[in-house]
Amino acid sequence: MPGATVYFFEETSQLANATASLLGLPVAPVVQHRFPDGESLVRVESEGVDRALLFCSLDRPNEKLVEVLLAADAIRRQGVQEVTLVAPYLAYMRQDRIFHPGEPLSQRVIAGLLDSAFDEVLTVEAHLHRIRSLKEVFACRADSLSAAEPIASWLEQRETSDLLVGPDSESEPWIRSIAERIGMRWIVGEKVRSADRQVAVELPPTPADVRSAWIVDDIASSGATLEAAAGILVNRGVSNVGAVIVHALFSDETLSRLSRAGIEPIVSTDSIRHASNAISLAPLIADQITNRSRILEAS
Ligand code: R5P
């Protein structure tokens, strides 16, 4: 990819650098400054760059969205023709319909903002419910990659476990996909959320010989889903319960609480910098960027 550079915000530096190294691309930091009144200023330096791959995960989106839009503008003003946002976690995808009168369609609002700044958006396991693809929401090229392969490879290298557990029906396609890759048994539960931090999970029966299980979920935020699913498994005599999460949105305090509840280990992909990071998404993202470039060059 001649003329391409990987730009990165400090928090996503590790994943950005690992991806750039796999792609053999130069890197450039986005320098951030916060004024006393809370406004942000960003600065980039680029020479001879035609294509920018801007890495910024969009957890804590209310502050980061503004900075990512500013960075896209700064990059373009340096003469860069094409700017791709690589947001391994893409926020605001959950509000994909009006649940209660008077609410916004947040997914469309945020997609519209990113459309106005980027030629392409790349993410991993976007939290999509009622729509099947980001292409239904974004006007620019947009792809959500599946984390099934990196998770399956990571699990394959651990000690064997008896069962994969998806806490809710939405997790079924990718729990199945992970389990089939490594020949594991799996079950998927049903979840009802009554409040931000309150969920009830029901799991189908676990086979009698199951002593260890991995709960696999795309997001952990309050940790309530993991706690509820793990509680059921422990009550059924499953003595080792671990968790694999794609997007670790939970606090250190929640991590300690979950560990105290007996969930051990708790690991996540590096989509968001977090103490639980163990699975790198760099190969997945690098492959997608390489394949996309080949398609664009051929067309
Ligand atoms: C929900 O559909 C997601 O797959 C996760 O289960 C959910 O976001 C986890 O949130 P929390 O940790 O707050 O229970």
Side-chain angles (χ1 to χ4, degrees):
M1 265 175 287
T5 287
V6 167
Y7 292 81
F8 61 89
F9 280 80
E10 201 277 320
E11 268 193 31
T12 319
S13 59
Q14 209 170 325
L15 178 55
N17 277 284
T19 310
S21 156
L22 290 171
L23 292 167
L25 292 179
V27 292
V30 176
V31 180
Q32 295 162 267
H33 177 73
R34 187 64 59 87
F35 291 105
D37 61 5
E39 281 189 12
S40 292
L41 180 66
V42 301
R43 191 165 45 79
V44 296
E45 281 172 19
S46 32
E47 265 176 39
V49 177
D50 300 321
R51 181 172 179 207
L53 300 156
L54 173 61
F55 278 65
C56 182
S57 215
L58 291 174
D59 52 308
R60 301 202 321 280
N62 295 359
E63 70 190 72
K64 289 188 175 180
L65 273 164
V66 170
E67 292 186 346
V68 100
L69 295 175
L70 296 175
D73 186 70
I75 289 169
R76 285 197 197 278
R77 285 177 193 281
Q78 301 252 309
V80 179
Q81 298 294 314
E82 184 165 330
V83 188
T84 294
L85 172 64
V86 183
Y89 173 68
L90 182 59
Y92 280 112
M93 292 298 108
R94 286 184 260 198
Q95 181 82 12
D96 60 359
R97 75 177 173 95
I98 311 290
F99 295 95
H100 305 285
E103 291 178 348
L105 197 45
S106 311
Q107 189 188 65
R108 300 270 166 174
V109 174
I110 301 305
L113 270 178
L114 297 176
D115 270 335
S116 68
F118 294 97
D119 300 287
E120 179 179 19
V121 172
L122 190 58
T123 189
V124 178
E125 296 292 354
H127 198 91
L128 303 177
H129 277 186
R130 282 147 288 264
I131 63 159
R132 294 172 66 86
S133 157
L134 287 182
K135 292 177 177 55
E136 294 173 45
V137 192
F138 282 84
C140 70
R141 292 193 306 273
D143 285 295
S144 171
L145 310 179
S146 167
E149 180 58 42
I151 289 177
S153 307
W154 187 87
L155 285 171
E156 212 167 19
Q157 290 159 25
R158 317 315 312 160
E159 275 177 36
T160 51
S161 185
D162 301 324
L163 191 69
L164 285 190
V165 179
D168 50 37
S169 52
E170 286 128 15
S171 63
E172 176 169 343
W174 71 288
I175 297 288
R176 181 202 298 269
S177 153
I178 296 168
E180 283 175 354
R181 281 176 156 87
I182 51 180
M184 277 186 73
R185 290 177 289 176
W186 57 279
I187 57 169
V188 161
E190 286 294 334
K191 181 170 77 180
V192 178
R193 184 180 293 277
S194 48
D196 286 349
R197 293 168 191 278
Q198 255 179 327
V199 299
V201 171
E202 283 181 18
L203 295 181
T206 35
D209 61 324
V210 168
R211 293 289 167 269
S212 59
W214 288 105
I215 305 170
V216 185
D217 208 354
D218 57 349
I219 290 176
S221 171
S222 70
T225 303
L226 286 182
E227 222 167 4
I232 297 172
L233 293 168
V234 169
N235 281 340
R236 290 180 183 175
V238 181
S239 43
N240 295 314
V241 180
V244 183
I245 302 301
V246 180
H247 305 301
L249 289 169
F250 49 104
S251 63
D252 290 348
E253 201 184 12
T254 302
L255 180 58
S256 309
R257 195 184 84 231
L258 294 172
S259 297
R260 283 198 302 276
I263 309 176
E264 187 64 43
I266 300 169
V267 300
S268 62
T269 76
D270 54 3
S271 72
I272 296 166
R273 187 165 69 182
H274 194 270
S276 60
N277 286 171
I279 304 170
S280 178
L281 295 175
L284 177 77
I285 293 172
D287 276 357
Q288 171 71 14
I289 291 169
T290 305
N291 293 339
R292 167 65 81 185
S293 296
R294 283 202 194 110
I295 292 168
L296 291 177
E297 276 160 25
S299 64

